[in-house]
Amino acid sequence: MDLLLDVNIVVDICALREKFSAIAAQAVEQCILSGGKVWLYAGSVQTYDYNLRNELRRAYLSKGRQLSNAQCAGLSKATLIEFAKDKNWLAALSAEGNVFEAQDPEDEQFIRALDRLIPGEIALLTRDEQLLNKQDPRILSPEQYLTRRPEARPIDFIDLKGQQNDIRPALETGIHRVLHHGQYIMGPEVKELEEKLAAYVGAKHAIGCASGTDALLMALMAYGVGPGDAIFTTPFTFIATAEVISLLGATPVFVDIDPVTFNIDPAKLEQAIQAVKTNDGSLHPLPLTPNALPLRPRGIIPVDLFGLPADYDAINAIARDHGLFVIEDAAQSFGAEYKGKKACSLADIACTSFFPAKPLGCYGDGGTCFTDDDGLAAALDSIRVHGKGSHKYDNARIGINGRLDTLQAAILLAKFDIFPEEVTLRQEVANRYSSLLSPQSSRFTPDASLLTPHVPAGYTSAWAQYSVLAKDEAHRAALLKRLQEVKIPAAIYYPKPLHLQTAFAFLGYKDGDFPVTEDMAGRIFSIPMHPYLSEENQKTVANVLMEREEK
Amino acid sequence: MEIQTVWQNGVFKPIQPLRLKHMLVTIKVPDEEIADFDPANEKEYTSEPYKTTPVVQGRADALLIRMEQIHNEILALPEDQLPTVTDKQLERIRAMEMREDR
């Protein structure tokens, strides 16, 4: 549980009020130590300061020392700066402004602030009897807080709250600015973000769009993909990768994955292209086509699964040999690297997603296309705005409504400031998992072994997910059950390969067509992963996974 | 209304069931019932309405020690190194002086 501090608690601690400072400090430190956040209310800044000055003057006078105005001001300033260092500031909203009709406007502001927060997740800490006598369970004295049974904080699969607390001032300022300038569509934040993203990945152009799915769709549209075109991709991915191919009337040709990286296998990709070119299904499983017409190889969409880039040297070489384009599905890999280059700069067009759970996620849907090609960039820019031309009402092509919202761009700008640091933190979390889950770890039984992710030399992962492989489906079910019993969240990405999903039944693929993918889908699962995952929580997860199975 | 309570492990427990409108009520304890301070029996007589772990206690102590250090440092400074207080600020502070928040 978080705590919002009433003025008297802050004054108790900063002025070292004899009767009250100890218990107030204990309540505050208990909250921080148990993983809660301690909040100061931005609407009370002056009250914190002036009340503290008065209390300091009174307290020292009672000990026989008269403080000057400057000493009171200096003490108040220095103690408040120190106290606020590890606290969070809760913004005062306009709904908390017009409180003059209330019996106590200051108390009313705190109550209204509580009204917009989640009950049970935060309490107002005070020793003001008038507030405590309201019998509101959201209002606690330090004694009441300290006598509560401490709640166990659940382990989050993804911790967006921790991140939000770190960037709250920039986030709120950015959102507020958009609300005031009112350019909700293609506002200045979109351009600013695009420039920053392009510079970060080392691409010439970044074209923000409404989602990662739209990014893929726009990329295919920029190449004019349509019926009769074969687009090679992996069946071990989220449906968006292949869905956009079918939406345009083209045909996804699935290619099995590498069992170590879970990404498209370049050797099998070559076979698939040959099979399409010769229309020979004996070389590689091929999809059914309307009227059994042969397909024309057009492009490849490798997916950087879980944040690890695919093998682009090999893939791009194959594409060059066959005259195909390559679209990097970097929905999960923004922040990763491949042989000295950033993900999102590894193919003709790269597409990323800002879905909230992604390494760089917004608070809704968002995405971006990256390219070095001026012509493709112009096409993408046009497609995302209904195929706009030079005249607003003379559209040059068929496009989509695929713009990135200005509000989402403002959120992403705030998040982007700490993104490089978060990538490093994710790396540390992943390294710790790999060490904790290694066969050398204590209490490990060889027959319960898990395969941890492998990152080839020259690659880094953005660690969108930390996915491990169980021995078999039964082993995975047992491990997931164990995690569930102790309320540790886990997920399976992806339990059913695309070629076996109902939506793609029309392609005529069958069980056994892509054995590596099918094997992984039966064994893989992902455990909590985010930059703020503590070592203690990681040990808890690892211990549950590594415990000897009860006989 | 007069009720009887038992003093047990630092907590008053009413002998009869009781529902109160407010969380805080005042109980008058006759002076003759207050024990003299005796370090040997401190645990028996001292109220312990809440418990904190040594880690929390240590952090709380450290926070208050930091505050005390700041007090000492600031009060050792000559006046010209302290913040200037303007008439406008003094006016605001005076407006707050009536407030009782102890």
Side-chain angles (χ1 to χ4, degrees):
Chain A
M1 174 185 268
D2 290 2
L3 289 177
L4 172 61
L5 301 189
D6 194 2
V7 177
N8 49 54
I9 299 293
V10 177
V11 175
D12 285 349
I13 292 170
C14 292
L16 295 164
R17 272 173 170 159
E18 205 168 326
K19 283 190 204 162
F20 309 113
S21 60
I23 192 166
Q26 284 166 24
V28 165
E29 294 302 325
Q30 167 76 54
C31 176
I32 295 171
L33 205 66
S34 61
K37 303 279 178 194
V38 179
W39 298 85
L40 301 173
Y41 184 54
S44 290
V45 165
Q46 283 195 345
T47 322
Y48 288 134
D49 182 21
Y50 293 152
N51 272 27
L52 180 53
R53 291 191 200 196
N54 281 336
E55 176 57 25
L56 288 162
R57 185 190 308 281
R58 191 203 60 79
Y60 276 92
L61 195 60
S62 72
K63 288 187 255 177
R65 182 167 182 178
Q66 172 82 48
L67 297 189
S68 67
N69 286 328
Q71 283 175 316
C72 289
L75 270 181
S76 175
K77 185 176 177 175
T79 51
L80 284 172
I81 287 172
E82 175 67 21
F83 185 69
K85 266 183 187 166
D86 60 351
K87 311 298 183 296
N88 299 268
W89 284 101
L90 186 70
L93 300 189
S94 52
E96 288 137 33
N98 196 357
V99 290
F100 303 114
E101 285 184 7
Q103 186 196 2
D104 187 324
E106 190 182 306
D107 287 357
E108 180 64 17
Q109 281 195 303
F110 277 112
I111 301 288
R112 289 194 190 181
L114 286 178
D115 285 345
R116 64 174 147 109
L117 302 169
I118 311 297
E121 290 191 6
I122 189 165
L124 174 64
L125 192 74
T126 184
R127 55 181 183 76
D128 181 316
E129 289 189 21
Q130 200 173 316
L131 279 169
L132 290 168
N133 282 336
K134 285 182 186 291
Q135 306 283 0
D136 185 332
R138 302 171 302 174
I139 302 173
L140 298 174
S141 69
E143 289 89 344
Q144 286 169 331
Y145 174 73
L146 287 166
T147 48
R148 286 173 71 253
R149 188 189 296 269
E151 72 274 32
R153 284 186 84 81
I155 298 175
D156 294 315
F157 193 67
I158 292 163
D159 181 11
L160 295 176
K161 272 189 180 174
Q163 180 198 55
Q164 193 180 88
N165 287 328
D166 282 358
I167 58 169
R168 189 173 299 279
L171 200 56
E172 289 177 348
T173 304
I175 292 171
H176 199 74
R177 189 175 290 135
V178 176
L179 292 181
H180 278 267
H181 71 51
Q183 296 177 61
Y184 308 119
I185 303 293
M186 299 305 284
E189 286 79 3
V190 174
K191 189 170 169 46
E192 185 186 344
L193 178 72
E194 287 173 341
E195 286 170 1
K196 284 190 173 176
L197 296 178
Y200 177 78
V201 306
K204 194 170 173 187
H205 304 281
I207 299 98
C209 58
S211 68
T213 309
D214 274 359
L216 290 165
L217 182 65
M218 285 163 47
L220 290 173
M221 289 172 78
Y223 278 109
V225 166
D229 289 339
I231 306 295
F232 301 87
T233 193
T234 159
F236 198 47
T237 178
F238 183 60
I239 190 167
T241 314
E243 172 185 53
V244 291
I245 301 168
S246 295
L247 266 175
L248 293 173
T251 303
V253 177
F254 292 123
V255 179
D256 212 351
I257 57 169
D258 179 296
V260 175
T261 64
F262 311 135
N263 286 329
I264 196 166
D265 184 333
K268 288 173 186 157
L269 173 64
E270 177 67 45
Q271 289 169 5
I273 295 168
Q274 291 297 349
V276 169
K277 279 187 161 176
T278 56
N279 199 19
D280 183 355
S282 68
L283 295 175
H284 185 276
L286 290 180
L288 298 176
T289 55
N291 304 318
L293 290 172
L295 293 168
R296 179 175 51 136
R298 281 296 309 280
I300 306 162
I301 308 183
V303 177
D304 303 343
L305 200 70
F306 305 138
L308 182 71
D311 185 357
Y312 285 93
D313 279 355
I315 294 164
N316 287 334
I318 292 168
R320 270 194 304 276
D321 287 349
H322 295 281
L324 308 180
F325 61 76
V326 180
I327 295 172
E328 177 187 358
D329 183 343
Q332 299 180 331
S333 64
F334 187 80
E337 288 184 24
Y338 173 81
K339 300 183 180 177
K341 291 183 76 179
K342 282 270 196 303
C344 293
S345 70
L346 305 174
D348 299 309
I349 301 178
C351 302
T352 197
S353 164
F354 301 132
F355 185 77
K358 295 290 190 283
L360 180 64
C362 55
Y363 292 156
D365 273 314
T368 288
C369 293
F370 297 91
T371 185
D372 286 336
D373 186 298
D374 295 345
L376 286 171
L380 290 164
D381 184 45
S382 165
I383 290 164
R384 76 169 161 180
V385 191
H386 301 286
K388 71 174 180 183
S390 53
H391 186 280
K392 190 177 177 185
Y393 294 111
D394 183 12
N395 293 295
R397 54 168 63 78
I398 298 298
I400 62 169
N401 178 4
R403 293 165 298 214
L404 176 67
D405 288 347
T406 310
L407 270 171
Q408 297 301 345
I411 289 159
L412 286 163
L413 281 169
K415 287 192 165 199
F416 186 70
D417 284 343
I418 58 164
F419 181 71
E421 186 190 336
E422 286 191 336
V423 173
T424 306
L425 289 172
R426 281 178 185 271
Q427 190 65 53
E428 287 170 12
V429 169
N431 290 344
R432 265 204 307 265
Y433 262 144
S434 296
S435 165
L436 288 165
L437 295 170
S438 75
Q440 286 77 35
S441 294
S442 59
R443 297 199 294 149
F444 188 76
T445 54
D447 64 341
S449 63
L450 285 172
L451 274 179
T452 54
H454 174 73
V455 179
Y459 292 56
T460 64
S461 175
W463 296 110
Q465 305 293 343
Y466 190 92
S467 301
V468 293
L469 279 178
K471 279 184 303 181
D472 51 38
E473 204 158 351
H475 182 216
R476 177 175 72 180
L479 292 173
L480 290 176
K481 184 167 176 278
R482 232 191 280 171
L483 289 169
Q484 194 181 16
E485 280 167 1
V486 290
K487 295 187 172 136
I488 294 175
I492 300 175
Y493 301 118
Y494 299 95
K496 198 165 191 180
L498 293 187
H499 68 284
L500 300 178
Q501 291 194 15
T502 311
F504 288 116
F506 69 94
L507 294 174
Y509 284 113
K510 60 185 186 307
D511 205 356
D513 277 348
F514 305 106
V516 179
T517 293
E518 290 161 23
D519 179 38
M520 298 300 138
R523 294 161 59 201
I524 204 157
F525 65 102
S526 304
I527 52 180
M529 162 54 83
H530 56 81
Y532 307 99
L533 192 58
S534 69
E535 185 170 357
E536 189 189 343
N537 281 345
Q538 284 192 270
K539 281 180 179 167
T540 305
V541 175
N543 283 342
V544 173
L545 290 174
M546 307 283 276
E547 269 169 11
R548 186 187 295 273
E549 302 223 17
E550 297 295 330
K551 299 290 178 192
Chain B
M1 179 183 183
E2 201 168 89
I3 58 160
Q4 284 189 304
T5 72
V6 175
W7 175 243
Q8 192 177 33
N9 297 326
V11 177
F12 281 115
K13 290 187 176 173
I15 285 175
Q16 67 208 75
L18 191 63
R19 290 180 71 84
L20 294 174
K21 284 183 181 172
H22 301 303
M23 285 180 181
L24 285 175
V25 292
T26 304
I27 296 175
K28 284 190 177 172
V29 181
D31 289 344
E32 59 270 24
E33 291 296 323
I34 308 288
D36 291 335
F37 177 70
D38 177 1
N41 292 324
E42 187 184 7
K43 197 172 179 186
E44 187 183 342
Y45 290 110
T46 304
S47 169
E48 288 181 344
Y50 64 92
K51 284 181 184 170
T52 51
T53 64
V55 182
V56 171
Q57 184 68 57
R59 286 176 60 115
D61 289 348
L63 170 61
L64 297 179
I65 288 168
R66 277 204 304 283
M67 290 296 158
E68 199 170 349
Q69 284 168 344
I70 291 171
H71 279 232
N72 294 336
E73 285 162 17
I74 297 292
L75 294 181
L77 291 175
E79 195 81 1
D80 62 356
Q81 287 183 32
L82 291 166
T84 308
V85 182
T86 64
D87 288 345
K88 195 167 76 176
Q89 283 179 307
L90 283 175
E91 196 181 330
R92 288 179 189 152
I93 292 164
R94 274 195 293 274
M96 290 280 194
E97 270 172 6
M98 296 303 290
R99 184 181 162 127
E100 271 297 327
D101 196 10
R102 296 182 194 123

